[in-house]
């Protein structure tokens, strides 16, 4: 605070710029490809630069100390660090600046690692030249920066947990124990999730519900936890520290007075498959999901209740209930909550192997899944813990497990599901424990027993005589008389074709993202990886954060994982929330839009595009103004104003156009100018770098917060300056981090194409691409394709198009 | 005779995706009845010992190109195409089983892949009409157009 004020008072004049440039080698990561000393030397001669040096690791303690002492000693008033992506170390260097008394908004970074050295590994000259230009672009943006004060807002000391599996339970308890109020929203009638369904847990063979139930009851009675079952989040607005959440709570039709005596069950004539028992048996329309359910209350499944259609009036359960706690008048309700942070713990679904017709699941009764097996072998399950085969209720003598069903396959899920190898080993041991004479065969591709205690368990299974055969059957044939199953396949280690006759086959099915995970993804502006799991802000260093501030991930919703990892992650997420809560306030980045009332003509066009309704005003007032607390800083309103009355803090017009000027200073006819949004496409380009996906060095990327900030005037400017091609890129249409502000992007590019067409320009030179943060390969592909186009363009064509554009602009300016 | 550039006809990188799960062999009907080499081992050999050696293996010709393996392969490797490409490569080097070569020659000459006059006798015995003559010229033309001549002589 202190620092910023002193800087505000002494806002430097343009002619006494004192810029310090630091070029980082990042060990060999940058230094192995880019000649850093040469880049630093080049930067020394850029306007405003008074000091430039290269260092091995700028982010290290000595590296940061150097910056701090230079700020003090050489009175630097701007700092440019050329290193990795600002998405990684911008906070580090901003903090360094601040501690030396320089306003953090006077720092600028050039991304010469993810966007340069890592993607041009084999072209040192081109990479070095590109790095110089990226530094020059950063220096000219830095010259145009001004100090900013961040607004701080209080954090509401309440949290929301979505999903009541083991991860959600753990996160809720950790936050509640720290003294904060927690709303736990669970879609089904009880918390517990998958863990409540499984019998024993690997690697310790603990009874799953026995270790989970105490935690579940603790949630039920914790004074700081408000449990909302049969509930789902319907709407989310606001931001870190202050979210407004609308929750839809479905009717239970049974009041809180229910003592779970179960007198109503017998009375109910209506039946339905029992979801908790994986559909292996039936339940009534009035039911409790499982005996240990929390809350321990019955509920009516209206889809199956006779009263649903209103044709028959049934009140048998009501009559049977001594406490009269059945309430047919109950109805769905909407609850409005205000919370400071959100933990997403929605877990996973299990793969349904029906599409793999060669295995006969759903057709042959004795082919079941591991989830069904968990219920079969559970003492509380439909068979009372007896292992029986569904066709004739006989105990099987020969049992086969098939691994990687629905996982590691382009036909289903391409990733490894992480838990099914160990789950099978656990299941095999359970059978051996109860019925040691059972022959067990595990058909596998690889056994992945990587965790603590896993290899031990694997060895135990082998010692107990479980037969492991490398080679998954390609086909299962059923004997229609006996219901026995014949497995056809190849033992790859023996190189021999096999035919095994089995009494029962258990498919070790994988796990996949929850059906409907996208809805929540949109509401919370999360990213998903290519497999559909929610994406963390950084795979190593911010594994439970998301790119939306104040929203955290826990459990298998983030990726396949076992119970231990789910719980670990849940505690981590809770601790991230607790930090936020105990601090009690967050600062909001100073990137809001501002309207100059003198230039504003009160036309109101900006207000129409603002996705947050953050612009108010009107003809009566004589101008429009931005409500700072509501503005999220997408910048979508800026290009909309024809009078240049709006600008965005820290993404000012001249800051960005100066970057365009620099990028196209040399050799524009061979360059692609790319605009990328902070959350998706810039991150996607970073990901291409992290994955070392190589693409041509002709592209220069300029970052905005949202693609909606990209002004058609910039595209115009680029073509007038004879850029060969322009790329506008952002998040996929429904994934925009600013409430679909990228609709404006699409509309503006569309209009620009029309204009190009009208003028007779080659409209392929402007491209619009949606690239998510996970689509590094896609970003590289787009650049490769555009580079191909650029190579095919002639200088005459580029100049002719520029001339056409110039003439049309001149004509327009004469007219007005 | 030019040898075929195998990897121009089949994307070599696709093979690297095979993780030897053996679902293909498990569903291969030829493997069940004959000592065929099987898709999994074919791929493994191509990767570990080289496709030239694989192309010399007679067992390659036991595949009945039903493409079930391809249907079942979790990595969606176009195994059928690989086997056909390998056979083409083998045939160009004259590595084609004798009986198959003979059948092709017969087909080109008579329009049928087997000698049929005994068949006609049997048909007569059962009171059936003799077989209709076939347009051998046209069949030869088709064979020529498929490019078979570049692979083997007939
Ligand atoms: C067959 C099988 C056996 C397994 N065996 C073991 C084992 O032995 N040992 C082991 O360590 N791990 C095992 N696992 C893995 C284990 O189940 C998971 O690690 C664990 O359940 C993950 O917990 P979670 O809370 O993240 O998700 P889940 O358990 O899936 O819970 C998610 C919860 O969120 C709720 N929910 C979902 N969407 C919404 C929404 N939109 N709004 C509100 N609520 C929502 C769901 O109803 C559910 O209650 C097994 C998994 C399977 C499939
Ligand atoms: S009212 Fe509905 S839940 Fe109650 S007994 Fe009748 S069918 Fe069952
Ligand atoms: S954990 Fe094992 S069975 Fe599951 S997908 Fe991975 S390798 Fe296959
Ligand atoms: S459009 Fe974006 S930048 Fe403009 S006022 Fe609305 S939220 Fe703020
Ligand atoms: S099915 Fe596909 S992945 Fe599996 S062994 Fe055969 S070719 Fe390889």
């Amino acid at each position: 605070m202190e620092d910023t004020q002193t800087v505000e008072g002494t806002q430097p004049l343009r002619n006494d710029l004192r810029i310090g440039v630091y070029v980082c080698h990042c060990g060999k990561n940058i230094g192995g490809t880019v000649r850093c000393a040469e880049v630093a030397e080049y930067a020394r001669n850029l306007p405003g630069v008074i000091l430039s040096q290269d260092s091995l690791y700028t982010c290290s303690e000595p590296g940061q100390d150097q910056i701090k002492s230079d700020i003090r000693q050489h009175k630097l008033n701007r700092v440019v660090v050329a290193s990795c992506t600002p998405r990684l170390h911008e906070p580090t260097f901003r903090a360094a600046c601040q501690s030396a008394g320089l306003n953090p908004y006077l720092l600028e970074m050039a991304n010469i690692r993810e966007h340069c050295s890592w993607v041009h590994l084999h072209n040192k000259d081109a990479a070095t030249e590109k790095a110089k230009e990226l530094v020059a672009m950063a220096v000219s943006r830095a010259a145009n920066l001004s100090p900013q004060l961040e607004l701080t807002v209080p954090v509401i000391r309440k949290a929301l947990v979505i999903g009541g599996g083991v991860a959600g339970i753990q996160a809720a308890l950790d936050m509640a124990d720290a003294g904060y109020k927690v709303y736990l929203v669970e879609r089904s009638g009880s918390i517990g999730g998958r863990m409540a369904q499984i019998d024993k847990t690997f690697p310790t063979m603990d009874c799953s519900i026995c270790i989970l139930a105490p935690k579940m009851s603790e949630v039920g009675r914790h004074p700081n936890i408000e449990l909302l079952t049969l509930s789902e989040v319907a709407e989310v607005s606001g931001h870190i520290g202050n979210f407004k959440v609308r929750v839809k709570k479905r009717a239970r039709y049974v009041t809180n007075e229910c003592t779970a005596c179960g007198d109503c069950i017998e009375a109910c004539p209506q039946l339905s498959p029992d979801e908790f028992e994986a559909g292996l048996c039936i339940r009534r329309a009035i039911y409790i999901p499982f005996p240990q359910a929390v809350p321990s209350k019955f509920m009516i499944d209206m889809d199956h209740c006779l009263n649903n259609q209103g044709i028959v009036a049934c009140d048998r359960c009501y009559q049977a209930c001594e406490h009269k706690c059945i309430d047919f008048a109950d109805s769905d309700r909407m609850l409005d909550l205000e919370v400071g942070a959100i933990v997403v713990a929605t877990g996973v679904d299990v793969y349904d192997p029906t599409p793999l017709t060669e295995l006969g699941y759903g057709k042959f009764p004795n082919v079941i899944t591991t989830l069904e097996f968990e219920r079969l072998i559970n003492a509380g399950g439909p068979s009372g813990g007896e292992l029986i085969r569904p066709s004739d209720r006989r105990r099987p003598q020969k049992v086969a497990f098939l691994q990687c069903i629905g996982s590691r396959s382009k036909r289903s899920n391409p990733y490894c599901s992480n838990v099914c190898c160990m789950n099978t080993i656990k299941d095999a041991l359970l059978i051996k424990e109860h019925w040691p004479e059972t022959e067990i065969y595990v058909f596998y591709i690889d056994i992945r027993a990587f965790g603590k205690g896993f290899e031990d368990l694997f060895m135990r299974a082998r010692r107990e005589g479980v037969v492991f055969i490398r080679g998954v059957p390609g086909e299962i044939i059923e004997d229609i008389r006996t219901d026995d199953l014949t497995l056809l396949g190849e033992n790859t280690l023996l190189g021999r074709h096999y035919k095994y006759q089995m009494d029962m086959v258990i498919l070790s099915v994988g796990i996949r993202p929850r059906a409907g995970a996208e809805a929540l993804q949109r509401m919370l502006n999360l990213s998903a990886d290519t497999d559909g799991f929610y994406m963390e802000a950084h795979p190593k260093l911010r594994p439970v954060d998301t790119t939306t501030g104040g929203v955290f991930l826990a459990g298998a919703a983030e990726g396949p994982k076992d119970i231990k990892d789910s719980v670990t992650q849940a505690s981590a997420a809770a601790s991230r929330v607790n930090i936020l809560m105990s601090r009690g306030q967050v600062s909001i980045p100073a990137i809001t839009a501002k309207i100059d009332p003198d230039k504003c003509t009160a036309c109101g066009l900006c207000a129409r595009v603002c996705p947050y309704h953050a612009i108010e005003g009107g003809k009566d007032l004589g101008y429009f103004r931005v409500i700072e607390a509501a503005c999220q800083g997408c910048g979508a309103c800026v290009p909309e104003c024809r009078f240049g009355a709006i600008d965005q803090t820290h993404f000012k017009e001249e800051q960005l156009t100066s970057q365009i000027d620099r990028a196209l200073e040399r050799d524009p006819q061979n360059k692609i100018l790319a605009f990328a949004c902070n959350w998706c496409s810039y991150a996607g380009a970073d990901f291409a770098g992290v994955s070392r996906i190589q693409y041509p060095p002709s592209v220069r990327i300029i970052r905005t917060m949202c693609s909606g900030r990209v002004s058609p005037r910039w595209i115009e400017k680029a073509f007038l300056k004879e850029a060969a091609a322009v790329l506008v890129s952002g998040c996929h249409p429904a994934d925009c981090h600013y409430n679909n502000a990228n609709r404006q992007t699409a509309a503006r590019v569309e209009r620009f194409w029309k204009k190009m067409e009208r003028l007779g320009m080659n409209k392929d030179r402007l491209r619009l691409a949606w690239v998510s943060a996970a689509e590094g390969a896609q970003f590289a592909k787009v650049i490769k394709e555009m580079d191909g186009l650029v190579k095919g363009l002639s200088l005459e064509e580029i100049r002719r198009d520029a001339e056409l554009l110039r003439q049309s602009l001149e004509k327009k300016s004469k007219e007005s | 005779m030019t040898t075929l550039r195998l990897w121009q006809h089949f994307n070599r990188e696709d093979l690297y995706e095979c993780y030897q799960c053996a679902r293909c062999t498990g569903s291969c009907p030829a493997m069940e009845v004959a000592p065929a080499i099987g898709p999994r081992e074919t791929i493994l050999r191509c990767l570990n010992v080289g496709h030239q050696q694989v192309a010399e293996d007679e067992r390659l010709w036991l595949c009945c190109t039903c493409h079930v393996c391809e249907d079942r392969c979790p990595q969606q490797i176009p195994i059928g195409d690989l086997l056909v490409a390998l056979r083409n490569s083998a045939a160009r080097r004259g590595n084609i089983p004798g009986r198959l070569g003979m059948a092709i020659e017969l087909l080109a000459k008579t329009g049928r892949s087997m000698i049929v006059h005994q068949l006609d006798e049997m048909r007569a015995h059962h009171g059936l009409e003799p077989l209709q003559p076939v347009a051998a010229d046209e069949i030869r033309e088709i064979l020529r157009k498929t490019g078979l001549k570049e692979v083997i002589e007939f």
Side-chain angles (χ1 to χ4, degrees):
Chain A
M1 249 347 177
E2 227 174 62
D3 302 331
T4 46
Q5 268 155 9
T6 55
V7 175
E8 275 252 293
T10 59
Q11 179 162 349
L13 295 166
R14 285 299 311 271
N15 56 5
D16 52 51
L17 277 175
R18 300 180 66 81
I19 306 178
V21 178
Y22 300 86
V23 183
C24 181
H25 287 247
C26 192
K28 280 215 170 319
N29 285 310
I30 297 171
T33 308
V34 169
R35 294 186 293 272
C36 296
E38 191 181 320
V39 176
E41 174 64 39
Y42 164 85
R44 209 160 289 144
N45 299 316
L46 291 168
V49 174
I50 60 150
L51 176 160
S52 171
Q53 54 183 239
D54 57 312
S55 68
L56 197 56
Y57 290 104
T58 314
C59 61
S60 67
E61 208 54 43
Q64 292 187 50
D65 285 346
Q66 181 71 48
I67 297 179
K68 289 184 211 166
S69 84
D70 288 348
I71 292 175
R72 291 197 189 97
Q73 205 184 332
H74 298 280
K75 309 241 169 320
L76 297 183
N77 53 22
R78 300 286 189 284
V79 168
V80 170
V81 179
S83 58
C84 50
T85 170
R87 290 171 49 85
L88 201 63
H89 269 317
E90 195 176 59
T92 315
F93 295 121
R94 276 188 170 180
C97 290
Q98 184 146 30
S99 76
L102 184 69
N103 183 286
Y105 282 78
L106 298 175
L107 165 88
E108 179 59 18
M109 290 182 74
N111 184 345
I112 60 168
R113 190 178 78 176
E114 281 83 349
H115 292 188
C116 189
S117 68
W118 276 350
V119 289
H120 313 309
L121 283 172
H122 313 299
N123 197 342
K124 297 194 175 169
D125 293 335
T128 303
E129 286 314 307
K130 179 171 171 180
K132 285 181 192 167
E133 288 187 25
L134 293 179
V135 170
M137 285 162 69
V139 166
S140 53
R141 177 169 149 84
N144 284 292
L145 291 175
S146 42
Q148 304 298 338
L149 260 181
E150 285 186 346
L151 207 69
T152 56
V153 295
V155 171
I156 298 174
R157 287 193 160 108
K158 294 179 194 167
L160 167 70
V161 176
I162 310 174
V166 65
I169 291 173
Q170 185 66 42
L173 286 173
D174 281 4
M175 294 185 288
D177 283 345
Y180 304 113
K181 161 106 189 177
V182 180
Y183 299 100
L184 175 54
V185 170
E186 164 61 46
R187 183 196 272 166
S188 70
S190 168
I191 53 171
R194 295 281 166 218
M195 189 175 167
Q197 273 181 302
I198 58 190
D199 181 49
K200 300 282 186 305
T201 61
F202 67 75
T204 47
M205 310 295 264
D206 280 303
C207 158
S208 191
I209 194 71
C210 312
I211 57 175
L212 182 65
K215 275 187 186 287
M216 290 168 60
S217 349
E218 205 183 331
V219 167
R221 47 163 210 271
H222 204 297
N224 281 343
I225 300 180
E226 185 169 336
L227 176 57
L228 302 167
T229 48
L230 293 174
S231 300
E232 264 178 88
V233 171
E235 243 177 83
V236 181
S237 61
H239 46 80
I240 178 167
N242 191 353
F243 291 103
K244 292 192 172 44
V245 183
R246 187 147 247 245
V247 173
K248 182 179 172 184
K249 188 164 172 41
R250 293 195 309 279
R252 189 174 262 269
Y253 302 103
V254 177
T255 64
N256 265 342
E257 283 69 50
C258 172
T259 59
C261 66
D263 289 346
C264 51
I265 306 181
E266 290 299 309
C268 178
Q270 283 296 87
L271 305 173
S272 155
D274 191 331
E275 302 87 353
F276 183 78
E277 299 296 351
L280 288 174
C281 61
I282 43 173
R283 57 161 173 81
R284 305 294 165 122
I286 188 160
Y287 72 111
I288 187 161
F290 52 98
Q292 301 85 347
V294 171
S296 185
K297 309 260 174 262
F298 274 62
M299 59 202 228
I300 296 179
D301 165 8
M302 244 327 139
D303 289 340
H304 290 94
C305 169
L306 284 173
N307 292 309
N308 179 29
Q309 309 294 339
I311 305 166
V312 188
C314 169
D315 66 350
R316 294 196 209 173
C317 52
Y318 181 82
Q319 297 301 345
C321 178
E322 225 172 86
H323 312 274
K324 295 290 166 255
C325 41
I326 307 226
D327 174 16
F328 291 113
D330 197 4
S331 60
D332 296 355
R333 274 183 303 145
M334 284 295 187
L335 306 173
D336 288 311
L337 313 177
E338 288 191 353
V339 294
I342 300 175
V343 175
V344 181
T346 47
V348 277
D349 274 341
V350 175
Y351 176 75
D352 172 7
T354 315
L356 305 176
T357 48
E358 67 271 25
L359 303 178
Y361 177 75
K363 202 167 51 177
F364 308 153
N366 294 333
V367 177
I368 65 167
T369 67
T370 33
L371 186 65
E372 289 162 347
F373 174 83
E374 293 291 339
R375 295 316 304 157
L376 265 189
I377 197 150
N378 187 287
S383 62
E386 272 303 309
L387 181 62
I388 50 169
R389 45 180 226 166
S391 73
D392 50 14
R393 310 183 70 81
R394 205 163 49 75
R395 191 152 56 69
Q397 303 299 318
K398 287 173 96 177
V399 177
F401 286 92
L402 269 53
Q403 295 311 104
C404 297
I405 301 302
S407 310
R408 305 176 68 196
S409 165
K410 291 185 186 168
R411 291 169 71 194
S412 40
N413 300 321
Y415 51 86
C416 165
S417 291
N418 191 304
V419 296
C420 15
C421 273
M422 290 319 293
N423 186 53
T424 286
I425 290 170
K426 168 193 82 180
D427 290 346
L429 280 167
L430 283 177
I431 302 177
K432 282 282 181 196
E433 188 185 307
H434 295 296
W435 307 281
E437 70 291 353
T438 315
E439 286 178 49
I440 303 175
Y441 296 81
V442 176
F443 297 90
Y444 71 100
I445 310 172
D446 304 289
I447 292 290
R448 299 190 165 165
F450 48 85
K452 183 169 165 177
F454 288 11
E455 188 64 33
D456 261 3
L457 206 67
F458 182 24
M459 184 156 77
R460 242 175 78 195
R462 298 198 307 269
R463 289 186 73 115
E464 301 259 342
V466 176
V467 182
F468 286 85
I469 293 170
R470 199 193 174 287
V472 185
E475 181 115 29
I476 297 178
I477 298 167
E478 188 195 42
D479 183 329
I480 45 170
R481 284 163 301 131
T482 61
D483 296 319
D484 289 346
L485 303 157
T486 303
L487 277 49
L488 300 181
E490 189 199 16
N491 183 323
T492 60
L493 298 180
L494 294 176
R496 224 177 275 151
H497 210 255
Y498 63 66
K499 240 185 218 175
Y500 281 98
Q501 185 136 341
M502 295 286 157
D503 296 334
M504 185 167 178
V505 169
I506 301 164
L507 304 177
S508 194
V509 286
I511 47 189
R512 59 181 185 76
R514 282 268 173 203
E518 306 84 10
L520 206 56
Q521 183 194 333
R522 302 229 159 107
M523 272 186 259
L524 296 170
N525 276 334
L526 304 177
S527 306
D529 59 28
T530 45
D531 298 328
F533 293 101
Y534 297 138
M535 211 157 112
E536 60 281 44
H538 189 279
K540 307 270 173 229
L541 301 177
R542 294 175 68 201
V544 300
D545 293 33
T546 66
T547 46
T548 307
V551 179
F552 304 91
L553 301 174
E558 180 264 342
K561 58 175 64 68
D562 67 359
I563 294 166
K564 182 181 178 179
D565 286 354
S566 299
V567 170
T568 310
Q569 211 183 26
S571 286
S575 122
R576 301 286 291 150
V577 173
N578 289 344
I579 292 171
L580 203 64
M581 302 269 155
S582 76
R583 212 194 277 140
Q585 59 176 38
V586 279
S587 43
I588 303 288
I591 52 171
T592 51
K594 296 224 160 46
I595 297 178
D596 178 348
D598 295 337
K599 288 191 189 160
C600 177
T601 63
C603 70
L605 281 178
C606 54
R608 270 197 271 161
V609 299
C610 175
Y612 298 97
H613 308 293
I615 304 181
E616 61 173 15
K619 290 264 185 256
D620 320 338
L621 191 69
Y623 58 85
F624 278 73
R625 67 171 163 230
V626 176
I627 312 164
E628 198 169 349
C631 170
Q632 301 295 308
C634 64
C637 52
V638 185
E640 205 63 18
C641 182
R642 277 181 288 161
F643 309 98
I646 318 182
D647 214 341
Q648 185 186 1
T649 310
H650 203 55
F651 287 89
K652 280 201 181 345
E653 205 64 18
E654 74 267 15
Q655 291 164 353
L656 288 143
T657 51
S658 71
Q659 277 180 286
I660 301 175
D661 289 337
R662 276 305 179 136
L664 299 174
E665 201 163 62
R666 280 184 7 216
D667 199 24
Q669 299 91 350
N670 286 310
K671 276 192 190 144
I672 304 164
L673 188 70
F675 297 102
C677 77
N678 182 61
W679 304 105
C680 292
S681 52
Y682 192 92
D686 280 352
F687 195 52
V690 173
S691 321
R692 312 292 196 277
I693 303 172
Q694 306 295 297
Y695 57 78
S698 50
V699 61
R700 299 290 175 271
I701 300 173
I702 293 177
R703 176 169 73 131
T704 55
M705 292 312 285
C706 174
S707 62
R709 174 69 182 91
V710 176
S711 166
R713 287 184 291 267
W714 302 348
I715 305 174
E716 230 163 57
K717 188 178 179 67
F719 284 136
L720 287 174
K721 287 188 159 283
E722 300 180 1
V726 175
L727 169 67
V728 179
S729 64
C731 310
H732 285 271
D735 295 346
C736 177
H737 280 240
Y738 296 100
N739 214 351
N740 295 326
N742 63 355
R743 272 200 217 131
Q744 309 306 330
T745 318
R748 286 171 192 149
V749 169
E750 202 72 52
R751 256 178 269 142
F752 207 97
W753 275 330
K754 287 225 175 77
K755 173 171 169 174
M756 291 174 86
E757 217 160 25
R758 211 175 48 237
L759 297 177
M761 293 170 66
N762 176 354
K763 79 189 241 283
D764 294 342
R765 290 174 55 204
L766 171 61
R767 182 152 173 189
L768 176 66
W770 306 127
V771 178
S772 80
E775 291 175 334
Q778 173 63 14
F779 183 83
K781 185 166 160 256
V782 169
I783 300 303
K784 273 182 213 151
E785 285 168 10
M786 291 186 74
D787 189 70
L789 171 96
V790 168
K791 293 230 160 69
L793 289 175
S794 68
L795 195 59
E796 294 80 65
E797 198 176 342
I798 294 173
R799 298 225 157 114
R800 189 208 57 206
D801 278 4
E803 192 48 40
L804 287 170
L805 193 58
R806 190 170 301 117
Q807 281 166 7
S808 104
L809 288 173
E810 272 166 15
K811 202 167 129 213
K812 216 160 116 198
S813 80
K814 259 187 223 140
E815 278 167 12
S816 59
Chain B
M1 180 130 313
T2 52
T3 55
L4 190 91
R5 301 230 153 265
L6 185 65
W7 306 124
Q8 280 173 6
H9 292 259
F10 185 86
N11 186 9
R12 188 175 196 157
E13 275 77 49
D14 283 351
L15 295 189
Y16 301 142
E17 296 199 358
C18 171
Y19 51 36
Q20 299 286 305
C21 70
R23 281 186 174 92
C24 49
T25 17
S27 35
C28 174
M31 290 282 292
E32 232 186 294
V33 296
I37 178 167
R40 179 198 64 82
E41 199 178 327
T42 306
I43 294 179
L44 187 65
R45 282 175 181 276
C46 281
L47 292 172
N48 291 4
V49 281
H51 65 278
Q52 286 90 350
Q53 277 195 41
V54 184
E56 275 161 29
D57 197 322
E58 278 257 319
R59 292 177 298 166
L60 196 59
W61 297 87
L62 292 172
C63 158
C64 57
T65 53
C66 66
H67 287 230
V68 178
C69 51
E70 201 169 308
D71 191 53
R72 303 275 158 86
C73 174
Q75 300 295 65
Q76 294 178 332
I77 300 171
I79 312 170
D81 295 353
L82 172 73
L83 292 170
V84 169
L86 279 167
R87 286 179 185 188
N88 273 322
S89 166
R92 275 172 194 252
R93 294 173 208 199
N95 264 335
I96 186 166
R99 254 187 301 164
L100 204 64
M102 251 155 63
I104 293 172
E105 245 171 74
L106 260 177
L107 184 67
K109 264 195 208 114
T110 67
R112 293 190 203 279
S113 59
M114 52 208 262
I115 297 165
V116 293
H117 68 256
Q118 269 171 334
L119 257 182
D120 277 345
E121 277 168 31
M122 275 160 77
R123 291 177 70 90
H125 179 79
H126 291 289
L128 289 169
E129 303 268 302
L131 284 168
Q132 297 291 313
V134 290
D137 290 350
E138 282 175 32
I139 286 178
R140 231 184 336 273
E141 185 58 16
I142 292 171
L143 290 181
R144 199 184 57 77
K145 285 204 168 145
T146 60
L148 187 65
K149 252 217 150 95
E150 290 152 35
V151 182
I152 59 168
E153 287 189 78
F154 56 84

